């Protein structure tokens, strides 16, 4: 009901009377007034005038499922949006709701237990974009890691000047601005679902001391605060664009753009394995999403993400 009132207010050119709203929706004027107050509590600025009724300020910045949907033009991604003011981790929320629709999005204003890979912590205060996609693609479990690359490409496409540090970091000005954590549930050969969690440092003004040298945000780089709902909608649209190409043509459909965005290519990398460590040059990305490196003796091979650290290019290595 609250969203219906919001829609009416947003589509009205001028004031809308309480009476018009109550008769359009078949509720009492007191109920209208209660919902208006709830909307005010969410941050909408709604003026009321005894004779004329209610008038909403249309460009108020509110972060909610409704505002994300209002800005979203997708077919699959975001058909269902689950919005939390505070939650441990959106990846965990998506796994708990694995029966939700393919393409469902789980968004949190604040994560109290945001996670990176290998159980690392992910700093997720109020001013970032923290969300997870629940995906049910008809692909093999071995292809799931490609979704991380597709997501990286999609995010990088909406952050001007950013590049992808293979496989899952988006880098701006030598610092990490976004991280991606993809998890799945599968049998040996069949996949039941994928959760692709994406954290983007959008309006963060300051990082904790231990992250200052390696993390940045859109706000820190540009001095501009961005609407979270509009930004997330554009990330979801970008994700859908590349994801549909991936489902249709495989990663090969995205690989040229990925190569262009990948700042790891052409750089010296350190490979650290249990039995050896050596320097090599990152020369390509394979259609299977692997990083291809070339050793000093000219021999090339594919490496796994955990083995590689990029030196020189970034303000930090890792
Ligand atoms: C990642 O892990 O980069 C994956 C991060 C995924 C976060 C999203 S938010 C929505 C969803 N819900 C979750 O709980 N997670 C996902 P990794 O490559 O392991 O990088 C983690 C490392 O990045 C940490 O050890 C820190 O050094 C650094 N780090 C932590 N928070 C950061 C931040 N906000 N920005 C940049 N770097 C950060």
């Amino acid at each position: 009901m609250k969203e219906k009132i919001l829609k009416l207010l947003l589509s009205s050119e001028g004031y809308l009377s309480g009476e018009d709203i109550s008769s359009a929706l078949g509720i009492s004027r007191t109920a209208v007034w209660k919902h208006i107050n709830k909307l005010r509590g969410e941050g909408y600025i709604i003026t009321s005038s005894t004779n004329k009724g209610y008038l909403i300020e249309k460009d108020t910045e509110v972060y909610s499922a409704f505002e994300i949907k209002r800005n979203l033009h997708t077919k699959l991604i975001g058909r269902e949006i689950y919005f939390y003011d505070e939650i441990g981790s959106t990846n965990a929320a998506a796994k708990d709701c694995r029966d939700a629709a393919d393409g469902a999005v789980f968004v949190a204003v604040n994560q109290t237990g945001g996670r990176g890979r290998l159980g690392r912590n992910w700093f997720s205060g109020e001013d970032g974009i923290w969300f997870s996609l629940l995906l049910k693609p008809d692909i093999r479990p071995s292809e799931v890691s490609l979704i991380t690359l597709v997501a990286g490409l999609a995010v990088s496409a909406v952050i001007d000047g950013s590049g992808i540090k293979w496989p899952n970091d988006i880098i701006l000005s030598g610092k990490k601005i976004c991280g991606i954590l993809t998890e799945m549930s599968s049998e040996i050969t069949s996949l039941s679902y994928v959760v692709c969690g994406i954290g983007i440092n959008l309006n963060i003004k300051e990082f904790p001391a231990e992250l200052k040298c390696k993390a940045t945000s859109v706000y820190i780089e540009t001095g501009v605060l961005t609407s979270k709902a509009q930004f997330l909608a554009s990330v979801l649209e970008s994700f859908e664009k590349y994801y549909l190409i991936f489902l249709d043509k495989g990663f090969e459909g995205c690989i040229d753009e990925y190569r262009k965005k990948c700042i790891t290519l052409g750089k010296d990398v350190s490979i650290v394995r249990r039995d050896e460590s050596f320097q090599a040059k990152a020369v390509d990305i394979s259609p299977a999403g692997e990083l291809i490196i070339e050793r000093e003796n000219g021999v090339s091979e594919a490496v796994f993400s955990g083995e590689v650290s990029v030196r020189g290019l970034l303000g930090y290595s890792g």
Side-chain angles (χ1 to χ4, degrees), residues 88-92 106 111 113-124 129-132 168-169 176-181 196-201 204 207 210-211 214-216 316:
S89 152
T90 56
N91 269 35
F106 299 77
Q111 290 187 124
R115 286 182 303 112
R117 294 177 301 166
L118 306 169
R120 294 180 194 125
N121 289 331
W122 182 258
F123 168 74
S124 357
I129 300 282
W130 324 121
F131 71 101
S132 301
N168 75 321
D169 292 346
K176 185 157 162 173
I177 198 156
C178 162
I180 301 168
L181 173 67
C196 179
I198 302 179
I200 307 172
N201 301 326
I204 292 172
F207 287 94
E210 69 277 14
L211 289 177
K214 52 183 171 182
T216 193
Y316 72 102

Side-chain angles (χ1 to χ4, degrees), residues 53-86:
Y54 301 103
L55 180 71
I56 193 162
E57 260 185 40
K58 290 193 177 150
D59 50 7
T60 317
E61 167 60 26
V62 174
Y63 193 35
S64 64
F66 178 84
E67 288 297 322
I68 298 163
K69 272 190 210 142
R70 196 152 79 88
N71 288 284
L72 191 62
H73 309 95
T74 50
K75 284 187 270 182
L76 175 74
I77 303 301
R79 284 191 297 173
E80 289 176 7
I81 295 180
Y82 297 85
F83 194 91
Y84 308 90
D85 286 332
E86 186 169 284

